[in-house]
Each structure stands twice: as C-alpha cells, then as structure tokens.
Amino acid sequence: MDNPRDIALISVSIDLGAGRRGVDMGPSALRIAGISREIAAIGHTISELGTLTAGGLETTQAGDTTLPFLNEIVDIAKETHAVVSEGLSRGCTPLVLGGDHSLSIGSVAAVADHYRPRGGAIGVIWVDAHTDMNRPRTSPSGNIHGMSLAVLLGHGEPRLTRGGASVRPENASVLGARDLDRAEKQLIRELGVRVFTMSEIDERGVGPCMDEALERASAGTAGFHLSFDLDALDPRIAPGVGTPVRGGLTYREGHLVCEKASRSGRLLSLELVELNPVLDDRNQTAELGVGLVASALGATIL
C-alpha cells in the first residue's frame, strides 16, 4: 500500500435513533468479524479510541414523543464529536462503527469543525437506501436516524443542527436511494442535493455515478466524509440491517464505491452504520462490512 494511515477506531453503540432494536450491537459484530485485523493487514496502524454507549431503550426516557430520545441522542452526538475531534487532532483518519445513523450528526460535524478553521469545507457521500432528510414536522416515525443528513445540512431540530450546517448542499450526494418520503423529495429539490437513485445507477452504472459524487464532494473542499449505511446493499447479500429495502447495490457495486473513494485520495473520514446482528445470518453482513471498510482504506484485488 502506498499511503499507510493512522486509523482512529471508534465504536458508537446506539440504537435510540432507529425504530428497531439491535444496531447498538453492530460495532461488536464488526470487531468479531475481524475489522482490526483487516485494517492492519492493509498496512495501517490503529489507535483505539474506545466505545461510546448510549442508554438502553428500556432504561432511557423517551421524552418528547415527536422526537424520541432526543436528549440522549444530543449527548451521544456531543461525545462522538469530541472523540472524532481527538482522532483528527492526532493526525488520524477517523473510522466510526455504528450504531444507527443518528451518530453521523456528531461524527460529520466534528470533521467539518476540524477543517473549517483551516479554510476548508468538507463534502459528504451518503451511501444509503434512504436520504435521511426528514425533519421533525415531516417525519412519519419521528426516528432521528432518518433526519441525520437534513441536520448536517442545517435543517431540523436546533439542538442537533447547532444553529448551522456542517456541509453545503452542493458538496453532498446520496448514492443508492430507493425509499424516500414526500417531504424529503421536496427538501432535496429545494437544496439541490444530488441523489443517485437505484434507477439511475441501473441505467448509468455505479462507476459514473460515484465519479460524479466524488467530483461534487471534492469541489472546493478539503476532502470528504464517506457515510456507508449497510442498507444501501441489497438485503439478499446484507440481511443484517434494520431497514432493508429490496433492489439495492450488489456486492461488487458496494466495493466499487469504496474502492473509488480510496483511489480519489480525498477521503478524510468514514463510518459504517446500521448493522443489526440480531437480523444477520451467521454474521455475513458484518463480514461484508469489514470488506467494504478495507476497500475504502486501500485494499485492492491486485
């Protein structure tokens, strides 16, 4: 490998932002599947920055019924921000293992805050079956993991947006979307976020779509954050996710996305989220996730 990195490995054990139990165990499943070993085999060094653990569903007060567990999710976002910031201050590339997608509210904000004083915005490539662009008044469920990207673009609950955006719409893309709510579609059009639906990927191919996403994420930025929700993959190969949607990315399409992210030389940080071991089959989704992370960090076929 030409570019060995120091990887700050961070686990965020949370499922309070989701509508189904189990994704809080995702980081453990990825570790059992050998993620540290695979990263080291590529040639990177690992700095373990520990595990952040949210309260349990049964013991945590849901609070406002329109935004369940808001207080706890705000707290975890702050803790995630602090740990990711620590990794960046050490010169490491943060790798965050989740956990539901609400953790991105803290992780992406930390990367943005790190590069902003250095004169650089950041881009984001959101690989997901969903766009996660609901807001409190538009969400059918109230689950905050479905609002994360909207929050990072500055729209939503003020305690989560912190009064501003972490990412500019022109630097944000969603890849693999196929399950959108009506209000999300409206916000996407208003903001100009680029969404590569599975229909477009079917027609054009994932390679050209990812190239366009990389161009957007890199234009006028210090680089980009890759947020990979495992439900972007087809549930036939990735059954262990909380919100499966048929017709997703294939095994090779998922790896190509990650390989292109690595080859771009612009990857600042990444996360793998929404792995639900309760729904998995012999940890196959976790093992697939480990391979995807390896591809994003420079593993190659030849």
Side-chain angles (χ1 to χ4, degrees), residues 195-212:
V195 177
F196 299 91
T197 66
M198 282 307 304
S199 295
E200 183 174 355
I201 290 171
D202 288 341
E203 187 167 345
R204 295 179 58 199
V206 74
C209 292
M210 183 59 178
D211 287 340
E212 187 177 334

Side-chain angles (χ1 to χ4, degrees), residues 128-163:
D128 203 322
H130 313 87
T131 59
D132 296 343
M133 288 185 63
N134 267 304
R135 290 152 287 170
R137 62 182 175 81
T138 68
S139 172
S141 67
N143 294 329
I144 292 176
H145 75 159
M147 307 178 193
S148 301
L149 185 53
V151 166
L152 293 168
L153 292 164
H155 294 262
E157 164 59 42
R159 291 179 61 190
L160 296 170
T161 63
R162 306 176 304 151

Side-chain angles (χ1 to χ4, degrees), residues 164-179:
S166 295
V167 180
R168 301 180 303 210
E170 60 266 30
N171 297 131
S173 297
V174 181
L175 194 77
R178 54 197 186 277
D179 184 13

Side-chain angles (χ1 to χ4, degrees), residues 11-280:
S11 295
V12 182
S13 179
I14 183 171
D15 65 1
L16 298 178
R20 188 178 229 168
R21 298 303 316 274
V23 293
D24 59 323
M25 295 183 285
S28 294
L30 290 164
R31 291 176 180 277
I32 290 168
I35 194 161
S36 297
R37 181 181 63 249
E38 289 297 317
I39 293 170
I42 302 168
H44 302 301
T45 57
I46 299 172
S47 295
E48 284 279 3
L49 297 192
T51 298
L52 306 176
T53 304
L57 184 69
E58 298 81 7
T59 58
T60 305
Q61 293 294 320
D64 185 350
T65 55
T66 60
L67 282 176
F69 307 109
L70 174 62
N71 289 338
E72 185 77 10
I73 290 169
V74 168
D75 289 344
I76 288 293
K78 291 177 180 177
E79 293 176 27
T80 302
H81 187 291
V83 178
V84 171
S85 296
E86 179 185 350
L88 288 164
S89 70
R90 294 185 186 184
C92 298
T93 299
L95 167 58
V96 183
L97 310 179
D100 74 63
H101 222 155
S102 67
L103 66 85
S104 300
I105 294 169
S107 61
V108 179
V111 181
D113 288 349
H114 178 79
Y115 284 97
R116 189 176 295 113
R118 295 159 175 79
I122 68 163
V124 65
I125 298 179
W126 201 265
V127 186
D128 203 322
H130 313 87
T131 59
D132 296 343
M133 288 185 63
N134 267 304
R135 290 152 287 170
R137 62 182 175 81
T138 68
S139 172
S141 67
N143 294 329
I144 292 176
H145 75 159
M147 307 178 193
S148 301
L149 185 53
V151 166
L152 293 168
L153 292 164
H155 294 262
E157 164 59 42
R159 291 179 61 190
L160 296 170
T161 63
R162 306 176 304 151
S166 295
V167 180
R168 301 180 303 210
E170 60 266 30
N171 297 131
S173 297
V174 181
L175 194 77
R178 54 197 186 277
D179 184 13
L180 284 71
D181 295 319
R182 179 177 296 178
E184 290 182 293
K185 297 177 184 180
Q186 181 178 349
L187 185 60
I188 289 163
R189 287 191 290 267
E190 289 174 3
L191 297 181
V193 174
R194 184 69 165 92
V195 177
F196 299 91
T197 66
M198 282 307 304
S199 295
E200 183 174 355
I201 290 171
D202 288 341
E203 187 167 345
R204 295 179 58 199
V206 74
C209 292
M210 183 59 178
D211 287 340
E212 187 177 334
L214 287 166
E215 184 176 350
R216 287 177 60 87
S218 301
T221 70
F224 68 91
H225 175 90
L226 178 66
S227 186
F228 202 116
D229 185 326
L230 285 163
D231 72 21
L233 302 167
D234 193 275
R236 289 175 296 181
I237 62 166
V241 297
T243 50
V245 184
R246 289 186 295 178
L249 298 173
T250 66
Y251 178 91
R252 272 305 312 152
E253 286 173 333
H255 273 279
L256 184 58
V257 166
C258 293
E259 289 162 5
K260 281 182 169 288
S262 175
R263 292 200 298 265
S264 73
R266 304 280 289 171
L267 181 66
L268 302 174
S269 52
L270 68 158
E271 64 202 6
L272 193 71
V273 302
E274 297 285 354
L275 170 63
N276 192 330
V278 175
L279 303 173
D280 207 1

